Amino acid sequence: MEIKLDDLQGQAITRLLQDHLDDMHSHSPAESVHALDIEKLRASDITFWSAWINRSLAGCGALKALSPHEGEIKSMKTSPGFLRKGVASALLKNILSEAERRQYKTVYLETGSMDHFKPACELYERFGFEPCPPFGNYQEDPNSLFFSKSL
């Protein structure tokens, strides 16, 4: 697997991110969808990676700078043909490594509270993330779960 910085210009990543948004909207009310579209992911405070296996897009993930000491994981998505093959774990390790390199003290994330998001929650918990209150501009929402990890 090759994980590389992605400029968000390729057709494969555009499709995967649109699938991600569509998936979020199919499982959560619109006001509870916090996934970013491709234009917002191009912001200067976001670093975006894609994972490739045999020249096929296997997944993606991003790290958004919240402050000099905090970051947020965004847009974690595994391509359907690569589910349960270690793609999300590899991306998460890569993102956490970058957060440590930046000397972040805490990394946060938001995900859905429905059963559909249970595998993601289990992944984050395996990596030491713990439930926390809403952070940043998030508000309490029965459709959202919030996690943090101290580094």
Side-chain angles (χ1 to χ4, degrees), residues 10-22:
Q11 290 181 353
I13 198 65
T14 300
R15 280 192 305 273
L16 182 61
L17 289 170
Q18 187 59 55
D19 289 348
H20 179 56
L21 283 172
D22 293 346

Side-chain angles (χ1 to χ4, degrees), residues 49-93:
W49 293 271
S50 55
W52 299 81
I53 297 175
N54 298 326
R55 293 189 281 164
S56 294
L57 179 60
C60 63
L63 180 61
K64 178 179 181 177
L66 297 178
S67 77
H69 304 290
E70 300 174 314
E72 178 183 4
I73 295 172
K74 299 294 292 180
S75 298
M76 287 284 295
K77 176 71 175 171
T78 302
S79 299
F82 294 95
L83 293 171
R84 291 173 248 322
K85 296 184 192 260
V87 174
S89 291
L91 281 161
L92 190 53
K93 284 178 191 174

